[in-house]
Amino acid sequence: MGQLAIAFVTMTLGVLACAGYFYGSNALLDSIFPSKNRPAEVIARNLRIVNQVRPWLFLGPALLLLVFYLFYPVVQSAILSFYGRTGEEFVGFANYIWLFQSGEFLESFRNNMLWLIVVPTLSTFFGLIIATMTDRIWWGNIAKSLIFMPMAISFIGASIIWKFIYEYRSGGDEQIGLLNALVVFFGGEPQTWIQIPFWNNFFLMIILVWIQTGFAMVILSAALRGIPDETIEAAVLDGASGLQIFFRIMVPQIWGTIAVVWTTITILVLKVFDIVLAMTNGQWGTQVLANQMFSWLFQGGGDYGRSAVIALVIMALVVPIMVWNIKNANAEMEGR
């Protein structure tokens, strides 16, 4: 209850502070540039100035927070990448040389590329298929709600759920993990799934696919409903099959939305951290870049330089995709 009370008070004070700021700043602006009881030319000039200044009153706090929480950390990380473990000794490009010679980094990079190929593709594919199928059944909204539900679960919470699914008991004990229980039921041998080299990465990816399929489904379902009925009816009259309508009529018309969903999930995958930390902590060949950065910074005494270099690599991978995503979304909006 104590945490709930703190959260409630924080939210209340935050909302009141925002309301007070916007009310007070607007009142101050109107008092400096009054638009009443003044000559017509003065009123016109003041209104013009107020209209130019007012948007910045709303944008100002957000821009300051962006500079403080985004721009400053990037600059500081770039500086720290040239320093040693404690962040005090200048080592030049030593951290960058270590980066490309480190087997652990290459493993993390390879695993991240594997996540990039599998998770966005499967999440988008399943989301598109489910969105198409649920629009054709009467209980489709119920199915969508159930599939979207994992989005409300934190990555740590989802990892704990799947940890029970992959759970392994040795010494002949009864298997409480769902997957091993099924394997034993059908006469197989239980496995330590998250310790199997290479394949354990896919078992971790399933968790993120399970979470993100609901996101892809909701966005793509809205895009499918925006397809004009005339194009579907024309295809039916021309004798097109269901698959032809889907792949040649529907998918091309929502291709921009598919690309946005895919790249959005891709950005999330590049920053994946919680699932790996909770499930394996990067052991058994499952290390990824974000978890490696965390390990170098907070474990084993900490190394500011090496963790900063890894952070810059993640940023270098994320930014181009994010820029492309924004441009593609803007182009799609302009096309409409």
Side-chain angles (χ1 to χ4, degrees):
M1 291 298 294
Q3 291 183 341
L4 290 176
I6 293 173
F8 177 77
V9 171
T10 302
M11 292 174 60
T12 303
L13 291 177
V15 171
L16 292 176
C18 290
Y21 166 77
F22 290 124
Y23 176 81
S25 60
N26 278 282
L28 179 62
L29 185 64
D30 291 335
S31 65
I32 296 175
F33 301 100
S35 58
K36 296 181 180 179
N37 302 322
R38 294 291 189 278
E41 61 274 10
V42 175
I43 293 177
R45 184 198 64 189
N46 288 350
L47 286 174
R48 184 172 63 254
I49 295 174
V50 166
N51 290 333
Q52 292 175 346
V53 173
R54 198 183 305 275
W56 293 104
L57 292 178
F58 289 87
L59 288 172
L63 291 175
L64 289 175
L65 289 175
L66 282 174
V67 169
F68 184 75
Y69 286 105
L70 291 179
F71 181 73
Y72 171 73
V74 169
V75 174
Q76 188 62 23
S77 295
I79 295 172
L80 283 174
S81 68
F82 295 101
Y83 285 80
R85 173 179 292 272
T86 61
E88 298 175 353
E89 179 187 0
F90 183 79
V91 296
F93 289 96
N95 290 322
Y96 291 89
I97 295 172
W98 162 84
L99 190 71
F100 294 103
Q101 294 178 346
S102 169
E104 185 181 3
F105 170 77
L106 295 177
E107 174 192 289
S108 302
F109 189 83
R110 182 201 66 199
N111 288 339
N112 262 106
M113 294 303 104
L114 194 62
W115 280 71
L116 282 177
I117 295 171
V118 175
V119 174
T121 303
L122 290 183
S123 298
T124 306
F125 174 76
F126 288 138
L128 179 60
I129 297 300
I130 294 170
T132 305
M133 295 176 63
T134 51
D135 282 340
R136 301 184 179 185
I137 54 179
W138 65 268
W139 50 278
N141 288 333
I142 299 175
K144 286 180 181 179
S145 299
L146 293 175
I147 294 168
F148 186 77
M149 200 172 294
M151 282 289 296
I153 305 174
S154 68
F155 284 2
I156 293 294
S159 300
I160 293 172
I161 292 171
W162 281 86
K163 205 161 190 176
F164 281 111
I165 293 176
Y166 296 142
E167 180 68 20
Y168 168 79
R169 292 291 176 90
S170 60
D173 294 340
E174 182 180 359
Q175 299 297 325
I176 65 170
L178 177 61
L179 187 55
N180 274 323
L182 290 173
V183 170
V184 172
F185 178 80
F186 288 105
E189 290 292 328
Q191 304 289 330
T192 52
W193 302 103
I194 61 174
Q195 295 183 23
I196 301 175
F198 183 71
W199 296 107
N200 50 8
N201 287 287
F202 292 95
F203 292 127
L204 300 187
M205 294 176 203
I206 290 173
I207 303 173
L208 191 54
V209 171
W210 179 64
I211 296 172
Q212 290 300 308
T213 295
F215 163 75
M217 175 200 66
V218 169
I219 303 300
L220 295 174
S221 178
L224 287 170
R225 292 185 179 184
I227 297 176
D229 293 334
E230 293 79 6
T231 59
I232 307 297
E233 294 170 359
V236 172
L237 292 175
D238 288 339
S241 65
L243 288 176
Q244 288 175 327
I245 292 174
F246 179 74
F247 286 107
R248 297 186 179 183
I249 304 298
M250 300 172 70
V251 171
Q253 293 191 66
I254 63 168
W255 185 250
T257 305
I258 293 175
V260 170
V261 169
W262 192 90
T263 51
T264 301
I265 299 175
T266 297
I267 293 172
L268 177 66
V269 168
L270 283 170
K271 301 181 293 183
V272 67
F273 161 72
D274 315 60
I275 294 173
V276 176
L277 177 68
M279 295 292 290
T280 64
N281 195 24
Q283 300 179 82
W284 309 300
T286 60
Q287 187 68 283
V288 291
L289 292 175
N291 193 66
Q292 187 184 21
M293 177 191 70
F294 175 84
S295 298
W296 275 109
L297 184 58
F298 295 107
Q299 298 175 0
D303 192 316
Y304 288 97
R306 293 184 176 182
S307 61
V309 169
I310 300 172
L312 292 176
V313 170
I314 297 173
M315 187 190 70
L317 294 172
V318 169
V319 169
I321 301 174
M322 184 175 63
V323 171
W324 183 88
N325 199 2
I326 294 172
K327 287 185 177 180
N328 190 66
N330 290 337
E332 185 178 356
M333 292 298 294
E334 292 173 0
R336 294 179 180 177

